[in-house]
Amino acid sequence: MSMSAREIKKGVFHVGAQDWDRELFDELIPLSEGTSYNSYFITDSDKNALIDTVDPTKTSILVENLKGLKVDKIDYIVSQHAEQDHSGSIPKILELYPQAKVVTNAKCKEFLKSLLLIDESKFVTVNDGEEISLGNKTLKFIFTPWVHWPETMSTYLKEDKILFTCDFFGSHVASSELFVGERTDRALEGAKRYYAEIMMPFRSPIRSNLKKIENLDVDLIAPSHGQVYDKPELIFEAYRKWTSDEVQNKVTIIYLSMHGSTVKMVERLIDDLVKLNIVVEPFNVVTMDVGKLAISLVDSATVVMATPTMLVGMHPSMAYAAYLFNALRPKTKFISIINSYNWGGQAIDQLKGMFSSVKAEVIDPVSVNGYPKVQDLDAIDKLAEKILMKHKEIGVS
Ligand code: FEO
């Protein structure tokens, strides 16, 4: 299913593809709303440029869209990011438009040569802040590294005040509506999920990049996934909040239970925290949507992991969740652990060793032998009170 090219400003066209059916990205991330690979064609008095291409599974849609516009030459293919969902159709475009040059930075060039076997002779290498004229329109390249690879850059179409940002400000959404328009809640939900799953580990460089671009005179933010922001401040403000050090009076509980002991303690903790007016977001590792967990981690002050013992240690599914938590590097301030065991196990020490990338204080793990008894539930009550105290200390409760 394809859609024709659509003009977003005079001489600037969306020629990318919606991927309505894709269910998983990176073989990990569930895509509840599909995704899109946005590519933009700019035509001007002297030169034509294409900003990014599309995933190789959708090359034919890009080619049809260019044909529909009767594009007879492309001078520049601007590659803002080497990951194949944006670069994967460059070889086909070079085949169809052999005079085209791939415009990118030195690092991205090396990645493209390695990933797509593009010949050195095809590249024009640009520096941070460099400009290329298309005639009446000017492309200015602004390096925005680590969103989420080291070579990423943005492109500012000066006269039209459009900032093309590739993954930066993206969202995995397939939509018939090109612009965010008035449906801002839907757009921000998708953007937050995308930020949480992909960008969160790079909070610090993203803050630097935000400072670098937020003073540009911008009418449109045109990412390479999701919709075009016709009110740039909406997404700037959201990113400022998500990348800030600010956390909420909230506890994310990641748990699973085999025979009912662990979940009994989790239920007690939820009950306690609710009574203390703390927001609780529990995720059963076995059935959770990874994206929803990631969203919860964007601003939770505390994360509690609750696992039974299996194979003399934490349950393997908890190891997956803990690994993911550490890799996402959320701004969590406090971590606690609940473990149930019978004849032995190392779950708590194992879990404590898995948080090396998260700068959080570990508070009062609770370890329970067998089914929780009165004193065990008392320990859970104390943990809830300790969490409240810690939240008060950092001023969120
Ligand atoms: Fe959308 Fe990092 O590729």
Side-chain angles (χ1 to χ4, degrees), residues 4 82-83 89 97-98 121 146 164 168 193 200 240:
S4 307
E83 195 167 6
S89 299
Y97 300 91
S121 64
W146 292 110
F164 300 96
F168 197 11
R193 174 182 274 261
M200 190 154 61
R240 272 184 221 115

Side-chain angles (χ1 to χ4, degrees), residues 265 268-269 272 338 366 376-384:
M265 294 185 283
R268 179 69 164 231
L269 182 63
D272 286 343
I338 296 172
V366 178
D376 301 319
L377 296 173
D378 285 349
I380 296 290
D381 296 346
K382 287 196 175 63
L383 173 61

Side-chain angles (χ1 to χ4, degrees), residues 25 81 83 85-86 148 167 194 225:
F25 206 85
H81 175 29
E83 195 167 6
D85 51 324
H86 310 291
H148 56 131
D167 281 346
Y194 188 89
H225 295 290

Side-chain angles (χ1 to χ4, degrees), residues 146 148 195-196 199-205 297-298 322-332 355-359:
W146 292 110
H148 56 131
Y195 168 81
M199 298 294 173
M200 190 154 61
F202 310 102
R203 205 161 60 88
S204 174
L297 295 175
V298 168
Y323 179 87
L324 187 66
F325 168 71
N326 192 56
L328 289 172
R329 278 187 265 162
K331 53 189 172 186
T332 310
F355 308 137
S356 56
S357 297
V358 180
K359 295 184 185 70

Side-chain angles (χ1 to χ4, degrees), residues 104-160:
T104 192
N105 59 69
K107 197 180 285 274
C108 192
K109 178 178 83 170
E110 293 311 313
F111 289 4
L112 291 170
K113 282 162 62 181
S114 170
L115 295 170
L116 297 168
L117 311 180
I118 298 172
D119 192 76
E120 172 78 35
S121 64
K122 290 291 182 184
F123 288 95
V124 170
T125 310
V126 292
N127 293 311
D128 191 14
E130 198 170 326
E131 298 183 356
I132 286 183
S133 173
L134 304 177
N136 298 315
K137 297 177 192 280
T138 312
L139 300 173
K140 179 172 181 167
F141 305 101
I142 301 170
F143 289 10
T144 44
W146 292 110
V147 292
H148 56 131
W149 282 16
E151 88 299 6
T152 49
M153 68 178 196
S154 299
T155 305
Y156 182 46
L157 185 60
K158 286 168 73 173
E159 294 76 7
D160 291 303

Side-chain angles (χ1 to χ4, degrees), residues 203-369:
R203 205 161 60 88
S204 174
I206 289 173
R207 278 200 299 228
S208 305
N209 287 328
L210 268 177
K211 286 200 176 72
K212 200 167 173 183
I213 61 172
E214 66 189 351
N215 291 325
L216 291 171
D217 187 6
V218 176
D219 280 352
L220 298 176
I221 298 276
S224 295
H225 295 290
Q227 295 172 293
V228 175
Y229 288 89
D230 39 7
K231 298 185 189 79
E233 188 53 26
L234 180 77
I235 191 69
F236 282 155
E237 184 53 34
Y239 261 70
R240 272 184 221 115
K241 191 166 86 184
W242 299 334
T243 58
S244 75
D245 292 331
E246 188 185 305
V247 290
Q248 305 293 321
N249 184 26
K250 189 172 85 178
V251 177
T252 300
I253 303 178
I254 308 169
Y255 75 98
L256 77 148
S257 191
M258 289 170 9
H259 301 294
S261 298
T262 307
V263 77
K264 174 82 178 167
M265 294 185 283
V266 167
E267 284 167 355
R268 179 69 164 231
L269 182 63
I270 293 172
D271 202 33
D272 286 343
L273 292 169
V274 168
K275 283 179 188 151
L276 296 172
N277 291 319
I278 297 174
V279 175
V280 190
E281 293 181 347
F283 295 88
N284 185 321
V285 175
V286 182
T287 54
M288 69 181 178
D289 172 340
V290 170
K292 285 189 176 163
L293 171 63
I295 290 170
S296 179
L297 295 175
V298 168
D299 50 16
S300 267
T302 297
V303 170
V304 177
M305 295 195 186
T307 179
T309 300
M310 189 191 184
L311 302 171
V312 207
M314 77 179 97
H315 191 287
S317 295
M318 184 55 66
Y320 158 70
Y323 179 87
L324 187 66
F325 168 71
N326 192 56
L328 289 172
R329 278 187 265 162
K331 53 189 172 186
T332 310
K333 306 293 185 204
F334 310 105
I335 296 173
S336 192
I337 299 165
I338 296 172
N339 172 230
S340 112
Y341 69 100
N342 185 14
W343 46 266
Q346 306 295 324
I348 288 182
D349 286 341
Q350 283 177 337
L351 266 171
K352 276 185 183 171
M354 291 188 73
F355 308 137
S356 56
S357 297
V358 180
K359 295 184 185 70
E361 178 187 345
V362 177
I363 51 174
D364 298 350
V366 178
S367 193
V368 176
N369 187 335

